[in-house]
């Protein structure tokens, strides 16, 4: 991505000409490089936001309020600022047995936060600042390949890590730690990620909005010892939600984590994150296709960490197809299935970076019934398998990733893997709950079509430049 991140200027120019952060007060006086002037407060912020000092190009910067209870639109001509947590709606309160009503008798607010293509949302560096969408409300963040929506910290560049929080989405979806014996009403109050309140419900197809052509980078701030925020946390988010073309980059915790729910996702790019790239637990049963994971050399997690946890009323068993997982870092295992997690992985590639410590592709020692609840088909791997070796074919010498991250090994091509047929997989494996209508019928293994090249690849042009 060619877009250069703009520095939020809240200080005078130092003698060496650099910009250094200080007070964020609205009465700050600044001198802007380029001669914009010394009167630096933004003039075009809507009344429901707070005007901040203009940026280095003279553009407006407006801070979002701590709570949003009405429909709001973030336009691309303004840089939007997160000073701390911004909560959309009030659905994270304790729910009463009557759906749509909080325990205190107040109605659940259904606010929509719309974010225009090309918009930048920046968070105060070194803070817990994050965006929380509560159940009943929605985020409609729809970017384009030429104008992605970017969440980052407010310093220069996109290469930091742990500099701000991240995104948290709550839904009314199913969660295996919820109380479904609560008078038949929607009072499933599961304590959610990042001290963000309560989530869950009874609507598997609940809609928390849209994330399309969205980049989340530099997040994962540690707000308590050992407690960071994921790049994007999906807490009981339902299948009515749309996630398509999402990058999480340089997060200091997990890239994406699914806590129950059945949200589906396509076209994920998860790069250089420092804990797990894909994490699920608490009964997650969504569908995912086209996942490109490139781990950091400093990673302390796995490409997949899979749990079930909760009450075990129902297992975590998502379906993933057309993924490429490139391991790295000190961990010797690429994927770990534990705590009775199930899952289905099809038409995918498992490998590691040169010099990585990865020796084992998959550890299934604690998984739920490998070969029945945990099934891999047409998976091409060049590292060893621990556990039930029937899950994947015998490892090959080299998956032969090319410069576009497509596997050129014969075993990853059409003649070897055939065409992805989810309906047939469901008929063959009773535990599979995949949605055939969601998946494209691909005829190759991995996230990238080996016959496509350069600009034709789906991840080109909108992700953080240099992240792959």
């Amino acid at each position: 991505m060619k877009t250069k991140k703009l520095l939020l200027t809240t200080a005078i120019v130092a003698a060496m000409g650099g910009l250094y952060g200080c007070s964020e007060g609205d009465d700050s006086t600044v001198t802007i490089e380029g001669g914009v002037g010394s009167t630096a407060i933004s003039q075009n912020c809507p009344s429901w936001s707070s005007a901040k000092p203009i940026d280095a190009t003279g553009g407006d910067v407006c801070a979002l309020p701590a709570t949003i209870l009405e429909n709001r639109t973030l336009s691309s001509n303004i840089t939007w600022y997160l000073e701390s947590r911004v909560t959309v709606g009030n659905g994270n309160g304790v729910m009463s047995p009557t759906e749509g009503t909080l325990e205190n008798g107040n109605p659940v607010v259904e606010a929509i936060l719309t974010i225009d293509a090309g918009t930048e949302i920046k968070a105060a560096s070194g803070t817990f600042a994050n965006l929380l969408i509560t159940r009943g409300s929605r985020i409609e963040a729809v970017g384009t390949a030429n104008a992605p929506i970017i969440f980052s910290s407010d310093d220069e560049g996109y290469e930091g890590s742990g500099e701000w929080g991240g995104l948290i989405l709550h839904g009314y979806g199913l969660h295996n730690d919820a109380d479904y014996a609560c008078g038949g009403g929607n009072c499933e109050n599961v304590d959610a990620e990042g001290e963000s309140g309560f989530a869950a419900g009874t609507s598997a197809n609940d809609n928390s909005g849209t994330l399309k052509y969205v980049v989340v980078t530099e997040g994962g701030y540690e707000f308590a010892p050992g407690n960071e925020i994921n790049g994007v946390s999906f807490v009981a988010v339902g299948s009515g939600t749309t996630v398509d073309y999402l990058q999480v980059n340089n997060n200091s915790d997990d890239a994406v984590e699914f806590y129950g729910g059945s949200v589906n996702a396509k076209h994920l790019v998860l790069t250089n994150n420092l804990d797990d790239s894909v994490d699920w637990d608490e009964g997650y049963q969504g569908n995912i296709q086209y996942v490109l994971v490139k781990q950091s050399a400093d990673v302390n997690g796995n490409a997949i960490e899979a749990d079930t946890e909760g009450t075990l009323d129902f297992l975590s068993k998502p379906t993933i197809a057309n993924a490429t997982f490139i391991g790295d870092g000190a961990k010797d295992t690429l994927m770990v299935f534990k705590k009775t997690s199930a899952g289905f992985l099809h038409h995918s590639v498992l490998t590691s970076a040169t010099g990585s410590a990865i020796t084992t592709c998959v550890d299934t020692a604690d998984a739920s019934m490998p070969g029945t609840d945990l099934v891999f088909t047409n998976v091409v791997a060049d590292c060893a398998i621990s556990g039930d070796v029937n899950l994947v074919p015998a490892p090959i010498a080299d998956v032969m990733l090319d410069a576009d991250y497509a596997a050129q090994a014969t075993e990853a091509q059409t003649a070897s893997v055939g065409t992805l047929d989810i309906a047939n997989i469901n008929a063959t494996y009773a535990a599979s709950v995949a949605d055939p209508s969601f998946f494209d019928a691909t005829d190759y293994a991995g996230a990238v079509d080996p016959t496509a090249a350069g600009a034709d690849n789906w991840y080109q042009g909108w992700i953080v430049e240099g992240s792959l």
Side-chain angles (χ1 to χ4, degrees):
M1 180 170 48
K2 302 299 184 184
T3 305
K4 179 173 174 63
K5 186 175 176 185
L6 302 176
L7 179 66
L8 297 186
T9 59
T10 57
I12 61 172
V13 177
M16 64 180 292
L19 293 174
Y20 295 83
C22 61
S23 169
E24 294 176 358
D26 286 354
D27 58 355
S28 300
T29 299
V30 302
T31 301
I32 304 297
E33 289 182 308
V36 174
S38 59
T39 302
I41 302 303
S42 300
Q43 299 298 308
N44 297 300
C45 296
S47 60
W48 49 267
S49 67
S50 300
K52 307 302 292 182
I54 60 176
D55 64 28
T57 67
D60 288 309
V61 179
C62 307
L64 295 176
T67 304
I68 295 176
L69 297 175
E70 299 179 54
N71 295 349
R72 300 298 187 199
T73 297
L74 309 187
S75 57
S76 62
N77 63 319
I78 290 173
T79 296
W80 300 92
Y81 194 51
L82 307 178
E83 296 179 295
S84 186
R85 167 167 284 163
V86 173
T87 301
V88 179
N90 64 352
N92 58 336
V94 178
M95 200 73 61
S96 78
T98 303
E99 183 171 348
T101 303
L102 298 174
E103 186 179 56
N104 61 13
N106 291 334
V108 172
V109 171
E110 297 182 355
I112 301 173
L113 181 66
T114 300
I115 306 178
D116 290 346
T119 301
E120 292 217 41
I121 301 92
K122 301 180 182 180
S125 293
T127 73
F128 176 65
N130 62 89
L131 178 63
L132 167 63
I133 310 298
T134 68
R135 53 187 169 179
S137 292
R138 303 201 317 267
I139 181 172
E140 294 294 342
V142 181
T144 68
N146 294 323
I149 293 165
I150 307 169
F151 290 84
S152 68
S153 71
D154 62 1
D155 67 357
E156 196 168 16
Y158 293 113
E159 68 280 355
S161 182
E163 295 181 349
W164 66 289
L167 272 60
I168 304 174
L169 275 64
H170 291 181
Y172 281 122
L174 305 182
H175 189 290
N176 71 4
D177 204 25
D179 176 12
Y180 290 104
C182 190
N186 191 2
C187 56
E188 292 72 28
N189 296 297
V190 171
D191 195 4
E193 159 75 0
E195 299 181 1
S196 58
F198 298 96
T202 59
S203 302
N205 63 347
D206 185 57
N207 182 3
S208 294
T210 304
L211 298 176
K212 188 168 185 178
Y213 288 107
V214 170
V215 174
V216 179
T217 187
E218 303 185 304
Y221 183 77
E222 185 178 49
F223 64 92
N227 199 350
E228 303 94 356
I229 296 180
N230 301 311
V232 185
S233 299
F234 297 94
V235 188
V237 175
S239 60
T241 307
T242 299
V243 179
D244 198 6
Y245 299 98
L246 170 67
Q247 181 184 26
V248 180
N249 180 62
N250 282 13
N251 205 75
S252 65
D253 197 31
D254 299 341
V256 292
E257 183 158 3
F258 301 92
Y259 302 86
S262 54
V263 60
N264 303 318
K266 274 186 175 176
H267 302 105
L268 302 183
V269 180
L270 311 176
T271 45
N272 305 308
N273 299 291
L274 299 185
D275 202 350
D276 306 312
S277 295
V278 179
D279 197 335
W280 66 70
D281 44 37
E282 298 163 359
Y284 173 58
Q285 296 191 1
N287 305 283
I288 303 174
Q289 189 173 27
Y290 309 116
V291 186
L292 181 52
V293 169
K294 181 177 178 288
Q295 290 187 288
S296 167
D298 299 320
V299 68
N300 193 37
N302 303 102
I304 288 181
E305 183 181 70
D307 297 345
T308 282
E309 292 188 334
T311 62
L312 304 186
D313 286 345
F314 49 91
L315 301 180
S316 298
K317 54 176 180 178
T319 298
I320 300 177
N322 293 105
T324 297
F325 294 98
I326 307 169
D328 209 340
K331 290 276 188 177
D332 62 1
T333 304
L334 187 66
M335 299 179 177
V336 176
F337 289 81
K338 57 186 183 179
K339 296 183 180 176
T340 66
S341 179
F344 289 77
L345 183 67
H346 312 297
H347 280 58
S348 293
V349 170
L350 315 181
T351 188
S352 60
T354 301
S356 166
I358 299 292
T359 57
T360 302
C361 275
V362 185
D363 182 350
T364 67
D366 296 323
S368 174
M369 299 180 67
T372 302
D373 290 340
L374 178 60
V375 174
F376 290 10
T377 67
N378 296 308
V379 173
V380 180
D382 58 16
C383 42
I385 307 302
S386 173
D388 189 330
V389 295
N390 293 323
L391 287 174
V392 296
I396 64 174
D398 187 357
V399 300
M400 298 175 60
L401 291 187
D402 64 17
D404 295 315
Y405 299 94
Q408 296 293 343
T410 300
E411 292 85 349
Q413 308 300 311
T414 302
S416 297
V417 302
T419 301
L420 180 66
D421 187 342
I422 294 296
N424 182 62
I425 290 169
N426 288 348
T428 304
Y429 300 98
S432 178
V433 293
D435 178 4
S437 68
F438 173 81
F439 290 94
D440 299 329
T442 56
D443 59 0
Y444 56 89
V448 182
D449 186 344
T451 66
D456 292 332
N457 288 321
W458 57 264
Y459 61 81
Q460 293 286 353
W462 61 275
I463 64 173
V464 173
E465 188 173 9
S467 58
L468 275 177

